């Protein structure tokens, strides 16, 4: 099923479309979510929440404003960041047992493989070192532009400009 056919079915709220949507995008979205959340169980919950949001909010997607994959990727990223900033998530992280820390270290050793499976890592590596830092903070670690500005000790306007330029460089590499 093509993406265009899928979108038609999703707009019609055809239940078969949900299964196709999940099959087409769950692995790549889970990789992004897991990189941000760093907890497999929480990432699975966020993934489920993301697909519900996609399904419920499909009417807010417009092809003229961007690609469908970019739209759902932003939903996944924003939902992950919301999860990280939630009080319940922060409290649960404070109460982790030492057994869980071993699992976190094991999981984090595989993160580069998971990011690479969606094909971004190789393209990001081609960017200038400053771009790599900014994209890492903003997109993979979920920093706001202000937080990235504080972390890199550069003005907010510079972060915004460099982010835009870096994304344009990335688009050129991806030929999008």
């Amino acid at each position: 099923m093509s993406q265009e056919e899928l979108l038609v079915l999703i707009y019609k709220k055809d239940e078969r479309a949900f299964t196709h949507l999940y099959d087409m995008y769950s692995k790549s979205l889970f990789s992004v979510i897991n990189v941000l959340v760093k907890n497999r169980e929480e990432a699975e919950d966020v993934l489920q929440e993301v697909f519900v949001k996609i399904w419920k909010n499909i009417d807010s997607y417009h092809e003229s404003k961007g690609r469908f994959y970019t739209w759902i990727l932003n939903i996944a990223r924003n939902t992950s960041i919301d999860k990280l900033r939630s009080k319940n998530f922060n409290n649960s992280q404070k109460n982790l047992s030492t057994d869980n820390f071993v699992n976190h270290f094991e999981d984090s050793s595989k993160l580069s493989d998971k990011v690479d499976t969606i094909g971004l890592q190789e393209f990001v590596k081609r960017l200038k070192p400053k771009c790599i830092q900014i994209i890492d903070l903003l997109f993979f670690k979920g920093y706001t532009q202000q937080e990235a500005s504080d972390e890199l000790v550069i003005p907010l306007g510079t972060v915004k400009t460099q982010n835009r330029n870096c994304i344009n460089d990335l688009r050129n590499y991806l030929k999008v």
Side-chain angles (χ1 to χ4, degrees), residues 45-120:
D45 289 343
V46 170
L47 181 67
Q48 197 171 32
E49 189 177 335
V50 165
F51 277 100
V52 169
K53 284 183 179 183
I54 293 168
W55 189 256
K56 285 183 176 180
N57 298 316
I58 191 64
D59 293 330
S60 68
Y61 169 69
H62 302 285
E63 288 183 40
S64 62
K65 292 184 180 178
R67 295 174 55 196
F68 180 69
Y69 181 73
T70 305
W71 183 73
I72 64 173
L73 192 60
N74 281 330
I75 291 173
R77 182 180 166 277
N78 292 340
T79 305
S80 299
I81 291 169
D82 290 346
K83 182 65 156 183
L84 290 171
R85 291 181 177 163
S86 74
K87 211 177 245 188
N88 289 339
F89 181 79
N90 288 326
N91 288 338
S92 71
Q93 295 303 298
K94 290 176 185 174
N95 297 325
L96 289 175
S97 70
T98 55
D99 293 337
N100 285 337
F101 286 111
V102 173
N103 293 334
H104 282 300
F105 290 127
E106 289 172 1
D107 287 346
S108 67
S109 67
K110 300 173 191 167
L111 288 181
S112 63
D113 296 336
K114 290 178 185 172
V115 172
D116 194 40
T117 60
I118 60 173
L120 292 177

Side-chain angles (χ1 to χ4, degrees), residues 125-143:
K125 284 181 183 176
R126 295 181 189 174
L127 297 173
K128 298 173 219 159
K130 192 57 115 179
C131 285
I132 293 171
Q133 278 184 310
I134 288 174
I135 288 177
D136 182 54
L137 291 175
L138 295 176
F139 295 96
F140 294 116
K141 293 185 178 167
Y143 281 45

Side-chain angles (χ1 to χ4, degrees), residues 20 24 38 42 52 64-65 98 130 136 144 147-148 176:
H20 288 291
M24 287 176 74
K38 296 180 179 88
E42 294 288 343
V52 169
S64 62
K65 292 184 180 178
T98 55
K130 192 57 115 179
D136 182 54
T144 63
E147 291 168 339
V176 179

